[in-house]
Amino acid sequence: MDRRQVLAYRIAEHGLHRSARDVADLAVVRAGLQDSMRDTALLALAARLDGPASPADDERLVLAWTLRGAPHYHLRPDLPEAIRALVPLDDADALARMLWQRKEMAATGLAATEVVFTAAAALRKVVTKPMTKGAVSTAVTKALPPSFSRWCRGCQATHIQEQLMRIATPHAGVRLVAGASPATLAPLEGRGRLRKTPDPAAATAVIERYLRLNGPASPGEAAEFAGTARAVVDRTWPADLVPVDVEGKTRYLPADRLPALENPPEPDLVRLLPPLDPFIQARDKALLVPDPARRKEVWKMLGNPGVLLADGDVAGTWRTKGSGAKLTFTLTAFDPLRPAVREEAEAEAARVAAARGFEKHAVTWAG
């Protein structure tokens, strides 16, 4: 398979043809839809559904820190399995999920799983009603050993390690209040007891969903998406997969998706995808954007732009600036675009502006 055929398959799996009628029909929602302060989830849905869809107002969805400790919307019936998938298989798994704060967890001198579950138990006791993140952090920091915390220059306070709080919160039966500012936590309705027993089947389901959406893919890419170590994914690797040669590299796909990969629909569409959109969450960035200079424009250390998707490829980037009731777009094309593509991109900009509640918008092309 060449990259364009793989991208055509992914575009269809991600629902970017707008064939789904409802949020619950989208595979990206069933897999967990990441959100951010820049309306990622809202705009991801706007790119996939014909009508308006506000995840913060949809009672079927619940927001929680799940994959990689990032905020994700899940369908309520799907959340229990998503949380079971996060129960560490062992200390190596728990340590890997701390991501950039692994050294801090190791410095506690305790087993990584003990650190996670101790923090979860404390959070469960603290969060019995809606509370701001700051109030929760203050209370739980007092209840935990000093080694679980650090001095935060930005907050000018000592508080629990950020990633530890995020990965422990779902085990505590705690969710995020959608649309709340500042960030607010609340107990999950009907939360049961703290679960410490791993569920390898649930962990396998997370990997399989990734392969369905962003396959063919490698175990290492799936591990990076799940926020754990490659060795952990090797132990929870799905069984019914087929190897696929993607431009000389062996990748894997669920066997029942092979016909869809072999004959994907034509990706003759134009979409404005927000930063952190599920489509650009695929970990094989060199396949998505082969040119290194362009990859640096799409994935930055801070402040990623949105992505212009056109004719089955990443064709450029976009940014916005709001002023009063007007939202101004700056679209940058990597290569010259046909007039029809530009017109469609401008129509998508109008959709984005409406989804975000702006009465007016303007589009400027930088390339």
Side-chain angles (χ1 to χ4, degrees):
M1 302 291 174
D2 63 24
R3 63 176 293 272
R4 291 193 64 85
Q5 186 163 353
V6 170
L7 294 186
Y9 164 81
R10 292 183 186 177
I11 287 169
E13 291 297 304
H14 277 255
L16 289 166
H17 287 275
R18 291 193 179 129
S19 57
R21 296 184 178 181
D22 186 71
V23 167
D25 298 329
L26 290 170
V28 293
V29 175
R30 300 303 302 270
L33 179 60
Q34 186 167 344
D35 196 30
S36 77
M37 296 300 290
R38 292 184 289 170
D39 296 321
T40 293
L42 175 72
L43 299 185
L45 294 180
R48 291 164 171 81
L49 297 172
D50 275 331
S54 172
D57 298 327
D58 193 328
E59 294 185 354
R60 297 172 298 172
L61 299 176
V62 60
L63 185 65
W65 283 318
T66 53
L67 292 165
R68 305 177 304 283
H72 284 75
Y73 281 102
H74 297 266
L75 289 169
R76 289 185 183 274
D78 293 344
L79 184 59
E81 182 185 55
I83 294 175
R84 293 197 305 272
L86 297 172
V87 176
L89 298 184
D90 52 28
D91 288 331
D93 188 11
L95 191 62
R97 293 180 186 275
M98 277 291 286
L99 301 178
W100 75 94
Q101 291 188 322
R102 296 178 193 179
K103 290 183 179 179
E104 287 82 352
M105 179 178 279
T108 64
L110 302 173
T113 49
E114 182 180 351
V115 174
V116 171
F117 292 130
T118 299
L123 283 161
R124 179 178 288 262
K125 290 181 179 180
V126 166
V127 184
T128 58
K129 61 182 180 180
M131 300 172 62
T132 65
K133 178 186 175 186
V136 172
S137 179
T138 298
V140 79
T141 298
K142 294 178 181 178
L144 292 172
S147 60
F148 287 32
S149 306
R150 69 179 179 90
W151 169 255
C152 176
R153 183 179 301 174
C155 300
Q156 288 294 294
T158 297
H159 58 67
I160 182 174
Q161 299 285 356
E162 175 70 17
Q163 183 67 354
L164 174 58
M165 183 175 182
R166 286 171 176 252
I167 64 175
T169 296
H171 303 306
V174 173
R175 64 179 175 87
L176 293 163
V177 177
S181 182
T184 301
L185 284 71
L188 279 167
E189 296 79 1
R191 61 181 179 181
R193 300 175 62 183
L194 175 60
R195 179 190 176 97
K196 298 183 180 181
T197 304
D199 187 341
T204 297
V206 169
I207 302 304
E208 184 176 14
R209 291 190 189 101
Y210 177 79
L211 295 174
R212 287 179 178 277
L213 280 172
N214 295 308
S218 71
E221 290 158 359
E224 186 179 345
F225 175 80
T228 188
R230 162 68 189 272
V232 174
V233 168
D234 286 343
R235 293 162 57 190
T236 56
W237 192 238
D240 193 17
L241 303 177
V242 292
V244 178
D245 184 292
V246 179
E247 299 195 341
K249 296 181 179 179
T250 301
R251 297 292 184 259
Y252 298 90
L253 187 76
D256 64 346
R257 301 313 301 152
L258 187 58
L261 174 65
E262 292 174 335
N263 189 31
E266 287 296 325
D268 51 350
L269 51 84
V270 176
R271 299 288 184 265
L272 295 186
L273 306 182
L276 302 177
D277 185 90
F279 185 78
I280 53 176
Q281 285 278 11
R283 270 26 194 188
D284 49 357
K285 294 177 181 179
L287 184 78
L288 288 173
V289 182
D291 183 85
R294 292 177 177 180
R295 282 203 299 275
K296 290 181 180 179
E297 292 302 312
V298 173
W299 292 283
K300 294 180 173 293
M301 290 294 293
L302 293 172
N304 286 345
V307 162
L308 168 62
L309 187 67
D311 294 333
D313 215 338
V314 175
T317 61
W318 61 277
R319 293 185 180 275
T320 60
K321 184 177 181 180
S323 178
K326 184 177 181 180
L327 186 65
T328 300
F329 291 76
T330 300
L331 276 67
T332 303
F334 290 149
D335 295 306
L337 300 175
R338 293 179 289 110
V341 171
R342 287 196 173 216
E343 289 180 10
E344 289 186 56
E346 292 176 10
E348 289 299 305
R351 174 187 289 267
V352 168
R356 293 187 58 187
F358 285 87
E359 298 176 2
K360 302 176 183 179
H361 77 283
V363 176
T364 298
W365 286 92

